[in-house]
Amino acid sequence: MPVQNCGSAPGRAVSGPFDLPWFNAAPAAEAEAVLLECYGSRRWAKRLAGHRPYPDLGALLAAADEAGYDLSPADRAEALAAEVSPGLHPDAPHSAHLALAAAHAAYECRFGHVFVICLDGFGPAEHPDQVLAGIRARLAHDPEQERVVTADEMRRLARGRIIELVSSQ
């Protein structure tokens, strides 16, 4: 099942190995391209790449969080546009695919962007239930409340992807 958790964003291909020393020493364009795989905002990626070197992973994650808080609505929209809604394994029952597609459609109609959720900490068997429960709960949010939740989920996704990226060797 394609999910939004650590590692590459669904539909993206980051080839490694990468680690923090590589990231700190990489040309700016390469570092930015790798960061765009973690969070689809060019401004965010440029900012993180421009503040290298990072002494450790904690400093990089803190900078990623800070940069995520400073984004404009257009920057967030750019990042959301790069995301793919979490789906089901192709072998899942047809009725499950229909239910998830309907839930995603209702969410996108209400909020104007794909549903994002960080599934780190949940086993693959729990993902479909977490996605459906998340969509159902968040459909009750007002647009401002959902904007805040979505921004937080995007930051969590970016953190997990950065950890996976610089930990792969």
Side-chain angles (χ1 to χ4, degrees), residues 100-119:
L100 187 59
H104 279 299
Y107 180 90
E108 290 177 24
C109 182
R110 174 145 169 75
F111 297 111
H113 58 79
V114 299
F115 174 76
V116 292
I117 187 170
C118 182
L119 296 170

Side-chain angles (χ1 to χ4, degrees), residues 40-41 71-80:
S41 163
L71 294 176
S72 71
D75 296 324
R76 283 191 195 94
E78 178 186 29
L80 277 168

Side-chain angles (χ1 to χ4, degrees), residues 99-152:
L100 187 59
H104 279 299
Y107 180 90
E108 290 177 24
C109 182
R110 174 145 169 75
F111 297 111
H113 58 79
V114 299
F115 174 76
V116 292
I117 187 170
C118 182
L119 296 170
D120 293 352
F122 293 101
E126 298 173 274
H127 291 174
D129 290 337
Q130 290 298 318
V131 171
L132 281 171
I135 291 173
R136 287 184 186 126
R138 289 167 55 186
L139 277 170
H141 291 172
D142 64 57
E144 179 57 23
Q145 183 182 19
E146 184 56 21
R147 185 196 63 76
V148 170
V149 171
T150 297
D152 186 54

